[in-house]
Amino acid sequence: MQLPLSLQMNDKLKLRTIVFYKNYFEDFFIKQRKKVKEKIIWTLDLIEELPRISENYLKHLENTDGLYEIRIQHGSDIFRLFCFFDEGHLVVLMNGFQKKTKKTPKKEIDLALKRKKEHEKYEQ
């Protein structure tokens, strides 16, 4: 797993591997407050370790081609990280953002889908 230097995951058994596509996630991560970073790491650990993940933490976005959002809440702050599965066990993290409206902004979804296609093209 390629992790930002400041991101240290624990050593428990992992059912999934999370990788980061380019530096999009790291750019988002380093801008966050310490407590938010800790919550992000906790949530990513959960996704790697649990066989079934509640939609409270990982949810498929309807009407998208395999795009998921990792859902993180710290106090009243809500964050979303976009990702998708590659070969079943690989969660590829892309962009993240702080959610300030009830619906996930279309421009954020469009950006994630663009990066997903870019990744798929690169992997071929």
Side-chain angles (χ1 to χ4, degrees):
M1 175 184 332
Q2 300 169 349
L3 296 173
L5 294 176
S6 58
L7 184 64
Q8 298 176 1
M9 306 289 246
N10 65 37
D11 293 330
K12 293 182 182 177
L13 177 63
K14 296 178 180 176
L15 301 174
R16 289 172 204 85
T17 301
I18 295 176
V19 298
F20 305 97
Y21 180 57
K22 295 193 175 180
N23 61 341
Y24 301 125
F25 171 76
E26 187 171 6
D27 290 346
F28 166 79
F29 184 81
I30 60 175
K31 295 176 188 173
Q32 304 310 312
R33 299 181 319 271
K34 182 179 188 257
K35 291 289 186 182
V36 172
K37 288 179 182 178
E38 290 170 358
K39 185 69 180 258
I40 290 170
I41 292 168
W42 180 87
T43 305
L44 296 180
D45 281 343
L46 193 83
I47 290 168
E48 283 189 322
E49 297 165 8
L50 294 180
R52 292 185 53 111
I53 303 151
S54 164
E55 282 193 354
N56 291 336
Y57 301 107
L58 181 67
K59 184 176 180 182
H60 179 258
L61 291 174
E62 293 181 14
N63 303 317
T64 67
D65 183 24
L67 190 64
Y68 288 77
E69 64 178 7
I70 296 172
R71 305 156 70 99
I72 298 159
Q73 185 164 349
H74 181 264
S76 61
D77 294 329
I78 299 170
F79 300 89
R80 296 293 187 256
L81 307 173
F82 288 112
C83 63
F84 59 94
F85 288 89
D86 190 2
E87 298 184 17
H89 293 286
L90 183 68
V91 178
V92 178
L93 289 180
M94 298 174 296
N95 50 313
F97 68 99
Q98 183 171 3
K99 190 171 176 186
K100 297 184 179 190
T101 61
K102 187 117 175 116
K103 284 189 80 171
T104 300
K106 182 172 175 9
K107 71 175 189 153
E108 295 290 348
I109 294 171
D110 290 344
L111 177 60
L113 289 170
K114 177 183 171 192
R115 290 179 178 167
K116 181 178 183 289
K117 284 180 185 174
E118 181 183 303
H119 176 271
E120 290 166 347
K121 183 178 178 183
Y122 175 77
E123 289 295 310
Q124 291 180 354

